[in-house]
Structure formats: structure tokens, C-alpha cells
Amino acid sequence: MPEPDATSDATHAIPAPGDKPALAAKPALSRNVKVLGWCSLLNDISSEMTFPLLPQFVTHVLHGTAVDLGWIQGLADSVASLLKLTSGGLSDRIGARKPLVILGYGLTALVRPLAGLATLPWHLTATYVTDRLGKGIRTTPRDALIAETTAPSQLGRAFGFQRAMDHLGASIGPLISTAVLALMHSNPVAVRWLFFGTIIPGIGVVLLLRFGLQDVPPHELHDKKFSLSLKPFDGNFRLFLLAMLIFTLGNSSDMFLLKRAEDLGMPGWQIPLLWLALHLVKSSGSIAAGAVVNRLGARPMIVAGWAIYACVYLTMAFLTSAWQVWPVFLVYGIYYAVTEPIEKKFVADLAGRERKSIAYGWYNFAMGLGALPASVLFGYLYESLGALTAFGFGAGMAAVAAGLLTLVRAPRPEVSHA
């Protein structure tokens, strides 16, 4: 029997008896996606070495309150998200993404260790806000690079990989902090040394970007004009932004979930392990979500994720023992997995081929607009009226946002001809 021609369609070949059907190989992720994924891993090792310990550090070492926690996280996230809007337009203007990505990660690597010198809550606020300035500078150009170097049919997979690497790094960070706390017998000074140690993975990120990341050539950028207008986007995209804003108003910092665990009696050494378990679910779930989004659709997955968030927040309000926090945190990881990478894919779908950078800027702006009042309000409600009121408010806002999102018309997926 003659061999089939090499150019013939493999799907028309008749397999011999007993042969297993060949599976189509998935296209490899681009170099930029892989490099940025590894950078996310290293950066989150640095970040999550200290983040789960911040509630204890603020309240026990710096003698702050839940309201201080709200200001620290809310102000930092708002500044970062508002800057993401202008950084997207600026990267279009200069015709390059890489310089802003390096600048953002470099600023974070330089400033984060300085938090170890804090003696008052406002000291930590200043360093944390500057840290998040770096996040604001780098995030939109980074997401645009991923979108512009990935086929439309692979966007869910690419963002799923990036978020999975991010969460994998966030799983390693708490292991390091747990080991340091154990060696130093939970001495408060250990947290300061952890802050100082974040410089090591931070330097690794900058070196990896400098020598591994490939910028998009200027002629491939679709729009170099520095414009922050919403005019190019239809009502569908604007309705999605409104839903994001409402959801974010009830989406306070995860530091309050850790504080709730501590208030329920969870020992300090278990907090990093709880954070580790959460990020393991996030990491594995992000890859799975990115793989199935083209079958299930982005909008239904986001709606389901926001519904899970509402249920988790309501449940957290009624917990009575520390051990009950563990299963709730694992379910909370599912919320992250089915929303974080999928929201970014949905932004690309709604924006179309043009103006992806500024679309991500507006997406982050909507979240930034709600981040400050969300955490400050939650801190006030938690401190003054208790956990039920605070967590109930977050659950209610998530439910309203999910209902509004169902009105957004899902665009037809772009077909890749690569």
C-alpha cells in the first residue's frame, strides 16, 4: 500500500485496526508567554513570602487595626490599577512594551525589601503603595504582550499558564516563610528578614526580563496614539466594566480573610500554609480553566466564579472554628481559577484585534476605582459592625455584578489562521 502524500489531511486517514487515534498537538506557547510566566513565578515567591503575614505584622508588631489594613491594601491596589490605564496608553505611544515591563518589575524589586524597616503602619503603607506602583506600570503592557504574541484561539491557555505560574510562585513563598518562622521560633523579627530576602527573587525577575523577553516590533502595534478614550469600545465592553466595578466594590483585600482565620484562633504558623493551599488550587485550576474556556465560554465561567465568591464570603461570616477555614479557602481558590485568566481573555474578545493595550488599561482602571473604597469600607464594617455585615456586603455586591454580567453579549470567538 503506498504511503499517503505528506500534504494530505491527516483527519481523512483511516487508522489500522488496533491503532489509537492520534491527538492533535497543541501549539506551543510563545517565548514571551513562557518568560513572563517564569517572571510571575519569581515575583510571587517574593510577594507571598510576606503577604500572608501582613495582618499579624500590622496588628501585633506595628500596633495597627483592621482599618489600617484596609487603607494599606486599598490605597495600594487603587494606585496600581489607576496607573495601569495610563501605562497601557503610554506603551502604545512609545511603540514598545518591554521597557515598561522591566521598569515595573524593577521598581517592585527595589522597594519591597524596604518594608522590613517599617515601625508604624504608615511606613508600611508608603512602601506597599510604591511596590504597587511597579505593578501598575508593568501589568497592562505585560498582558498586551501576551495577547499580541498569542493566537486568539490560545488566549485562554496563555493567560491560564501565566496565572498558574503566578500562583505556583505564591505557593512557594509561604513555604519559605513557614521555614523561616520555624527556624526563628515565630519571632516578629523573622518577618523583617523575610522582607529583606525578597530582593533575591526580585533581581532574578529583572535579569530574566532583560535577556529573555522579546518586544513587539513597532510596526506590529495597532495604535500608537496616546488616547484614553472609551469611544472605540461598544456598550458591551462598557457594561462589562460596570459589572467589574460593582464586583470590585465588594471584593476587599484577601488580608481580611487571613485576619478572619486568625480571629477564629488559627495559629500564626498555619497562616502561610493556608495561603499555600489556596495558591495550589489557584495554580492547577487556572490551567484547567484556560484549557476549557473555548468550550464553556468566558462569560458563563466568570458568572460562576463570582457566584462562588459570594458563597465563600457568606460562609466565612458564619464560621465558628479555625479548622473550618481550610475547606472554604480551597473553594475560594476555584473562584480565582475560573475568573482571573478568563476575565483577561474576555477583555481581549470584547476589544477585538485593535487596542488590546488600552482595553486592559480600562479593565484595570475599573478594578482600581473600586479597590480603595472596597478595602477601607470592609475594614470599617469588620471593625465596627462585625464579620457578618462585612462579608455579607461583599457577597451581595458579587451577586449584583454577576446578574449584570449576564446582560453582556458574548462576542464570537476570533478564528486563528496561523
Side-chain angles (χ1 to χ4, degrees), residues 27 39 78 100-101 115 129-130 144 152 165 173 206 270 336 355 369 389 414:
C39 287
S78 289
L100 291 177
V101 176
V129 168
T130 309
M165 294 294 281
V206 175
Q270 286 189 19
Y336 270 109
R355 300 182 65 82
L369 204 60
T389 302
E414 295 184 52

Side-chain angles (χ1 to χ4, degrees), residues 155-157 288-299 301 342 345:
L155 277 177
R157 183 167 160 242
V292 303
V293 63
N294 286 339
R295 291 204 307 269
L296 301 181
R299 187 185 62 179
M301 292 182 69
I342 308 308
K345 175 192 169 4

